[in-house]
Amino acid sequence: MNIKITHRNAKVSDSIKEKVNDWLYNSQDRYEVITSAHVILEKNDREDMAEATIHIAGKDIFAKASADNLYAALDALADKIDRQLDKIHQKHVSKKGTGRPEAAVDDAEVDEEALA
């Protein structure tokens, strides 16, 4: 996975970069669809902003978050991106035409036998 971290208006510490890398690798482990990511971090006088563009197979995901400090902005950004990744992952997992679970079929047969 390619990760590119850029910053505006100030130098970003190594701990922030490590936090971004850890978050992206954890998301990659859970969803297995991320091919590359571009994260932009910006510090202003009033608030800090974080935005990310995540490239997955066939789609690009974008999110932007701002907060009083950069750590809070990164946490909000991670939540937004992970919700989008989970939605895409659920679409792939819950395809129409997949079989019903065996437990549901067995329960239906038991109920019919009890009624007879």
Side-chain angles (χ1 to χ4, degrees):
M1 173 175 42
N2 263 341
I3 299 174
K4 183 177 180 183
I5 301 171
T6 58
H7 49 84
R8 298 179 190 153
N9 300 339
K11 188 95 171 149
V12 178
S13 67
D14 290 335
S15 63
I16 297 273
K17 290 180 182 180
E18 185 177 324
K19 183 176 177 78
V20 170
N21 285 331
D22 290 343
W23 159 60
L24 288 171
Y25 282 115
N26 286 337
S27 294
Q28 172 65 20
D29 289 343
R30 277 185 284 161
Y31 302 113
E32 301 176 356
V33 293
I34 300 173
T35 57
S36 66
H38 183 198
V39 180
I40 300 172
L41 306 171
E42 181 177 352
K43 290 187 174 189
N44 291 334
D45 293 334
R46 287 181 265 147
E47 63 183 3
D48 296 340
M49 295 177 62
E51 61 184 61
T53 304
I54 308 292
H55 304 283
I56 61 173
K59 292 187 179 190
D60 291 340
I61 297 173
F62 177 79
K64 191 177 200 179
S66 61
D68 292 337
N69 61 21
L70 203 50
Y71 289 101
L74 281 173
D75 289 339
L77 178 70
D79 289 340
K80 289 180 180 183
I81 292 289
D82 285 344
R83 271 188 262 131
Q84 291 181 27
L85 285 171
D86 187 47
K87 184 177 178 180
I88 291 170
H89 180 72
Q90 291 302 320
K91 283 184 180 180
H92 288 289
V93 171
S94 303
K95 290 283 187 184
K96 184 177 179 179
T98 58
R100 289 177 39 188
E102 292 297 323
V105 173
D106 292 338
D107 290 341
E109 291 174 4
V110 170
D111 290 339
E112 291 175 6
E113 292 174 3
L115 293 174

